[in-house]
Amino acid sequence: EDQVTQSPEALRLQEGESSSLNCSYTVSGLRGLFWYRQDPGKGPEFLFTLYSAGEEKEKERLKATLTKKESFLHITAPKPEDSATYLCAARPEGANNLFFGTGTRLTVIP
Amino acid sequence: GAVVSQHPSWVICKSGTSVKIECRSLDFQATTMFWYRQFPKQSLMLMATSNEGSKATYEQGVEKDKFLINHASLTLSTLTVTSAHPEDSSFYICSARDVISYEQYFGPGTRLTVT
């Protein structure tokens, strides 16, 4: 059964304290691992798509990496404006839709 | 960047009435659009997949006669909640997949409250 699990459920960081969010996936034939950011009361905002193990993508303070079983979203020197829920999703082979994890709620304290 | 809009952003309706929510891809074409529902502090739950020019595919447990989906063009899909009840109150989010890049972009969501 296709499944996506994110950890931790919630994370509180001091401003400048780097950390990583984890996304473990078990899908048949991964055709894309997606990261989104969601602010309260808003739709998810696209961040990255990763397609193959070893691939990395960066955007400002965020870097996403992918292995055969999991993906990490590294946050370097976070700022309070990085506070949001980060969602991970996987698209299995032959599937039209994405399977979402339950998200990691990140709070960055000034 | 790719933009998906939803209208309205919020709506309050009385029990028994119907509500239509529009989802538009503004700067790209989408043969496939998705409708999700999200409860507070929970992740997105896929309701249905909408394909341009054909019938939508509903997920298990989603009533197709209650949640009517129309995808009449490459940039517009609509979700109509018929005979709404208070338990239909939720945050509805649409998503559109770019036919060229295959990336999936989300709308800002519609907050539905049924009184």
Side-chain angles (χ1 to χ4, degrees), chain B residues 34-81:
Chain B
F34 305 89
W35 287 95
Y36 294 84
R37 187 171 178 175
Q38 189 176 34
F39 292 103
K41 296 189 178 180
Q42 293 188 25
S43 193
L44 286 75
M45 184 187 79
L46 180 67
M47 298 174 65
T49 301
S50 163
N51 297 296
E52 186 264 336
S54 64
K55 289 183 179 179
T57 304
Y58 290 81
E59 295 300 300
Q60 195 171 8
V62 178
E63 299 176 57
K64 60 179 69 175
D65 293 331
K66 179 167 185 62
F67 298 99
L68 301 178
I69 291 173
N70 183 278
H71 191 162
S73 78
L74 289 172
T75 59
L76 173 65
S77 176
T78 60
L79 168 69
T80 302
V81 182

Side-chain angles (χ1 to χ4, degrees), chain B residues 7-27:
Chain B
H7 178 79
S9 55
W10 61 270
V11 57
I12 301 172
C13 71
K14 292 189 175 179
S15 193
T17 61
S18 295
V19 174
K20 181 187 281 188
I21 302 170
E22 288 188 353
C23 175
R24 293 181 186 271
S25 56
L26 297 186
D27 49 4

Side-chain angles (χ1 to χ4, degrees), chain A residues 10 29 35 58:
Chain A
W35 282 98
E58 283 188 72

Side-chain angles (χ1 to χ4, degrees), chain B residues 1-4 24-29 75 98 105:
Chain B
V3 178
V4 176
R24 293 181 186 271
S25 56
L26 297 186
D27 49 4
F28 65 97
Q29 293 185 329
T75 59
D98 188 321
Y105 301 97

Side-chain angles (χ1 to χ4, degrees), chain A residues 36 38 43-44 49 91 96 98 101, chain B residues 34 38 43 97 103-104 107-108:
Chain A
Y36 292 88
Q38 187 176 26
T49 309
R91 178 181 289 139
N96 234 348
L98 302 178
Chain B
F34 305 89
Q38 189 176 34
S43 193
R97 191 165 70 205
E103 300 292 2
Q104 191 167 329

